[in-house]
mmCIF file of all heavy atoms in Angstrom:
data_model
loop_
_atom_site.group_PDB
_atom_site.id
_atom_site.type_symbol
_atom_site.label_atom_id
_atom_site.label_comp_id
_atom_site.label_asym_id
_atom_site.label_seq_id
_atom_site.Cartn_x
_atom_site.Cartn_y
_atom_site.Cartn_z
ATOM 1 N N LEU E 1595 46.532 -40.064 -35.131
ATOM 2 C CA LEU E 1595 45.272 -39.762 -34.465
ATOM 3 C C LEU E 1595 45.445 -38.884 -33.222
ATOM 4 O O LEU E 1595 44.618 -38.024 -32.949
ATOM 5 C CB LEU E 1595 44.570 -41.068 -34.074
ATOM 6 C CG LEU E 1595 44.138 -41.966 -35.242
ATOM 7 C CD1 LEU E 1595 43.494 -43.243 -34.721
ATOM 8 C CD2 LEU E 1595 43.185 -41.229 -36.166
ATOM 9 N N SER E 1596 46.510 -39.110 -32.460
ATOM 10 C CA SER E 1596 46.675 -38.360 -31.213
ATOM 11 C C SER E 1596 46.802 -36.857 -31.419
ATOM 12 O O SER E 1596 46.225 -36.074 -30.654
ATOM 13 C CB SER E 1596 47.897 -38.888 -30.441
ATOM 14 O OG SER E 1596 47.649 -40.200 -29.976
ATOM 15 N N PRO E 1597 47.523 -36.381 -32.431
ATOM 16 C CA PRO E 1597 47.604 -34.923 -32.616
ATOM 17 C C PRO E 1597 46.268 -34.264 -32.912
ATOM 18 O O PRO E 1597 46.180 -33.029 -32.887
ATOM 19 C CB PRO E 1597 48.563 -34.774 -33.811
ATOM 20 C CG PRO E 1597 49.392 -35.996 -33.764
ATOM 21 C CD PRO E 1597 48.484 -37.081 -33.303
ATOM 22 N N ALA E 1598 45.237 -35.038 -33.211
ATOM 23 C CA ALA E 1598 43.922 -34.438 -33.421
ATOM 24 C C ALA E 1598 43.403 -33.778 -32.150
ATOM 25 O O ALA E 1598 42.497 -32.938 -32.198
ATOM 26 C CB ALA E 1598 42.933 -35.496 -33.893
ATOM 27 N N LEU E 1599 43.991 -34.146 -31.000
ATOM 28 C CA LEU E 1599 43.584 -33.534 -29.737
ATOM 29 C C LEU E 1599 44.187 -32.146 -29.537
ATOM 30 O O LEU E 1599 43.773 -31.419 -28.642
ATOM 31 C CB LEU E 1599 43.990 -34.439 -28.567
ATOM 32 C CG LEU E 1599 43.381 -35.853 -28.566
ATOM 33 C CD1 LEU E 1599 43.943 -36.658 -27.413
ATOM 34 C CD2 LEU E 1599 41.857 -35.761 -28.456
ATOM 35 N N VAL E 1600 45.193 -31.802 -30.332
ATOM 36 C CA VAL E 1600 45.853 -30.510 -30.178
ATOM 37 C C VAL E 1600 44.935 -29.409 -30.692
ATOM 38 O O VAL E 1600 44.488 -29.452 -31.831
ATOM 39 C CB VAL E 1600 47.198 -30.499 -30.935
ATOM 40 C CG1 VAL E 1600 47.876 -29.137 -30.815
ATOM 41 C CG2 VAL E 1600 48.103 -31.590 -30.386
ATOM 42 N N LYS E 1601 44.663 -28.417 -29.880
ATOM 43 C CA LYS E 1601 43.744 -27.347 -30.247
ATOM 44 C C LYS E 1601 44.452 -26.058 -30.657
ATOM 45 O O LYS E 1601 43.868 -25.223 -31.323
ATOM 46 C CB LYS E 1601 42.815 -27.044 -29.065
ATOM 47 C CG LYS E 1601 42.029 -28.264 -28.590
ATOM 48 C CD LYS E 1601 41.189 -28.871 -29.724
ATOM 49 C CE LYS E 1601 40.376 -30.049 -29.225
ATOM 50 N NZ LYS E 1601 39.593 -30.672 -30.317
ATOM 51 N N LYS E 1602 45.696 -25.880 -30.235
ATOM 52 C CA LYS E 1602 46.405 -24.648 -30.548
ATOM 53 C C LYS E 1602 46.894 -24.670 -31.995
ATOM 54 O O LYS E 1602 47.564 -25.611 -32.404
ATOM 55 C CB LYS E 1602 47.599 -24.457 -29.609
ATOM 56 C CG LYS E 1602 47.207 -24.283 -28.152
ATOM 57 C CD LYS E 1602 48.434 -24.088 -27.286
ATOM 58 C CE LYS E 1602 48.066 -23.920 -25.833
ATOM 59 N NZ LYS E 1602 49.276 -23.736 -24.979
ATOM 60 N N ALA E 1603 46.581 -23.640 -32.727
ATOM 61 C CA ALA E 1603 46.963 -23.608 -34.137
ATOM 62 C C ALA E 1603 48.472 -23.538 -34.312
ATOM 63 O O ALA E 1603 49.029 -24.101 -35.248
ATOM 64 C CB ALA E 1603 46.298 -22.420 -34.834
ATOM 65 N N GLU E 1604 49.147 -22.853 -33.365
ATOM 66 C CA GLU E 1604 50.582 -22.695 -33.532
ATOM 67 C C GLU E 1604 51.349 -23.986 -33.264
ATOM 68 O O GLU E 1604 52.521 -24.103 -33.602
ATOM 69 C CB GLU E 1604 51.112 -21.591 -32.598
ATOM 70 C CG GLU E 1604 50.895 -21.851 -31.107
ATOM 71 C CD GLU E 1604 49.559 -21.307 -30.639
ATOM 72 O OE1 GLU E 1604 48.681 -21.065 -31.492
ATOM 73 O OE2 GLU E 1604 49.404 -21.112 -29.419
ATOM 74 N N ASP E 1605 50.687 -24.961 -32.606
ATOM 75 C CA ASP E 1605 51.356 -26.222 -32.321
ATOM 76 C C ASP E 1605 51.330 -27.168 -33.519
ATOM 77 O O ASP E 1605 52.127 -28.099 -33.595
ATOM 78 C CB ASP E 1605 50.682 -26.930 -31.137
ATOM 79 C CG ASP E 1605 50.788 -26.103 -29.869
ATOM 80 O OD1 ASP E 1605 51.672 -25.227 -29.826
ATOM 81 O OD2 ASP E 1605 49.993 -26.335 -28.946
ATOM 82 N N ILE E 1606 50.398 -26.946 -34.437
ATOM 83 C CA ILE E 1606 50.150 -27.941 -35.474
ATOM 84 C C ILE E 1606 51.276 -28.045 -36.498
ATOM 85 O O ILE E 1606 51.672 -29.155 -36.842
ATOM 86 C CB ILE E 1606 48.802 -27.650 -36.162
ATOM 87 C CG1 ILE E 1606 47.686 -27.821 -35.132
ATOM 88 C CG2 ILE E 1606 48.583 -28.563 -37.356
ATOM 89 C CD1 ILE E 1606 46.313 -27.506 -35.684
ATOM 90 N N PRO E 1607 51.841 -26.950 -37.061
ATOM 91 C CA PRO E 1607 52.832 -27.111 -38.126
ATOM 92 C C PRO E 1607 54.031 -27.960 -37.725
ATOM 93 O O PRO E 1607 54.421 -28.872 -38.449
ATOM 94 C CB PRO E 1607 53.241 -25.660 -38.445
ATOM 95 C CG PRO E 1607 52.060 -24.851 -38.046
ATOM 96 C CD PRO E 1607 51.492 -25.527 -36.841
ATOM 97 N N MET E 1608 54.653 -27.683 -36.579
ATOM 98 C CA MET E 1608 55.815 -28.450 -36.168
ATOM 99 C C MET E 1608 55.444 -29.896 -35.864
ATOM 100 O O MET E 1608 56.149 -30.834 -36.228
ATOM 101 C CB MET E 1608 56.457 -27.799 -34.932
ATOM 102 C CG MET E 1608 57.688 -28.547 -34.425
ATOM 103 S SD MET E 1608 58.999 -28.683 -35.666
ATOM 104 C CE MET E 1608 59.515 -26.975 -35.773
ATOM 105 N N MET E 1609 54.208 -30.112 -35.235
ATOM 106 C CA MET E 1609 53.784 -31.466 -34.940
ATOM 107 C C MET E 1609 53.407 -32.175 -36.239
ATOM 108 O O MET E 1609 53.622 -33.397 -36.342
ATOM 109 C CB MET E 1609 52.626 -31.432 -33.944
ATOM 110 C CG MET E 1609 52.157 -32.798 -33.502
ATOM 111 S SD MET E 1609 51.027 -32.720 -32.117
ATOM 112 C CE MET E 1609 52.090 -32.115 -30.837
ATOM 113 N N GLU E 1610 52.610 -31.680 -37.424
ATOM 114 C CA GLU E 1610 52.315 -32.373 -38.678
ATOM 115 C C GLU E 1610 53.583 -32.806 -39.365
ATOM 116 O O GLU E 1610 53.715 -33.890 -39.876
ATOM 117 C CB GLU E 1610 51.417 -31.538 -39.591
ATOM 118 C CG GLU E 1610 49.996 -31.544 -39.158
ATOM 119 C CD GLU E 1610 49.152 -30.669 -40.006
ATOM 120 O OE1 GLU E 1610 49.636 -29.900 -40.800
ATOM 121 O OE2 GLU E 1610 47.952 -30.792 -39.832
ATOM 122 N N PHE E 1611 54.767 -31.852 -39.216
ATOM 123 C CA PHE E 1611 56.054 -32.304 -39.803
ATOM 124 C C PHE E 1611 56.626 -33.498 -39.050
ATOM 125 O O PHE E 1611 57.121 -34.466 -39.649
ATOM 126 C CB PHE E 1611 57.084 -31.179 -39.801
ATOM 127 C CG PHE E 1611 58.407 -31.596 -40.400
ATOM 128 C CD1 PHE E 1611 58.513 -31.895 -41.746
ATOM 129 C CD2 PHE E 1611 59.532 -31.720 -39.613
ATOM 130 C CE1 PHE E 1611 59.720 -32.305 -42.297
ATOM 131 C CE2 PHE E 1611 60.733 -32.122 -40.152
ATOM 132 C CZ PHE E 1611 60.834 -32.407 -41.493
ATOM 133 N N SER E 1612 56.677 -33.476 -37.638
ATOM 134 C CA SER E 1612 57.172 -34.614 -36.867
ATOM 135 C C SER E 1612 56.354 -35.868 -37.158
ATOM 136 O O SER E 1612 56.895 -36.970 -37.340
ATOM 137 C CB SER E 1612 57.118 -34.293 -35.369
ATOM 138 O OG SER E 1612 57.899 -33.167 -35.071
#
Side-chain angles (χ1 to χ4, degrees):
L1595 296 178
S1596 292
L1599 300 176
V1600 178
K1601 303 303 182 182
K1602 296 181 180 180
E1604 61 271 19
D1605 297 340
I1606 296 178
M1608 180 59 69
M1609 183 169 293
E1610 283 177 349
F1611 180 67
S1612 301

